[in-house]
Amino acid sequence: MAKAGNPVEAVAAWIDGRLDLAFDENIKSDLRRLSLEAQSQMFAAPDLIQPAYEEMLKPLIEQLNDGLTRGVFHGVDPVSAAQSIQGVVWASTERHWAAADCERAEVRRRALQFCLRGLGVKPEITADIAARDQL
């Protein structure tokens, strides 16, 4: 995210980072187990899970706030938007794990288009970023 030139690219970089983990053959099985455990503990011991979740979303929330200030994002609550973006990326990741036949580039393109559209990013900017290999 630090290399991003603007908040839109930073959001794309955050999504790329999550997808990098999901598609990394060396860690995805550990990540899947850890994620399932975190989900089960979210209700049993939210005080253990919530701080990590908030820390993961913190840089994304900062970029969403910056994008609102710059007028790049429109009509969004940064905390809710960050949680929604995480939800989209997580659902795509789970679908990939279940099917094991998804192409990373296609998962990325769909997640970026959905998330950036939801932030009010202009369609041409969304299309440009989604068409890039990776930021």
Side-chain angles (χ1 to χ4, degrees), residues 22-127:
F23 280 83
D24 186 322
E25 293 297 325
N26 296 316
I27 62 170
K28 76 177 184 181
S29 64
D30 292 335
L31 177 64
R32 188 174 190 184
R33 276 195 304 275
L34 179 64
S35 298
L36 291 171
E37 179 63 25
Q39 286 176 1
S40 71
Q41 292 299 315
M42 187 60 100
F43 297 106
D47 53 317
L48 294 175
I49 303 301
Q50 195 60 33
Y53 185 67
E54 289 172 3
E55 195 63 29
M56 180 180 69
L57 294 180
K58 186 178 178 181
L60 181 57
I61 292 168
E62 290 170 358
Q63 291 301 318
L64 293 169
N65 275 316
D66 188 31
L68 277 172
T69 300
R70 292 184 187 196
V72 178
F73 304 139
H74 307 281
V76 298
D77 170 58
V79 173
S80 295
Q83 292 168 343
S84 295
I85 291 168
Q86 166 62 20
V88 167
V89 174
W90 184 248
S92 298
T93 298
E94 286 187 323
R95 189 172 51 249
H96 161 69
W97 285 338
D101 65 353
C102 297
E103 290 292 326
R104 185 192 187 285
E106 182 62 16
V107 172
R108 177 183 186 272
R109 185 187 64 75
R110 288 181 182 179
L112 285 172
Q113 286 180 335
F114 187 85
C115 293
L116 296 180
R117 187 180 305 131
L119 296 173
V121 175
K122 294 179 180 180
E124 59 273 13
I125 295 171
T126 298

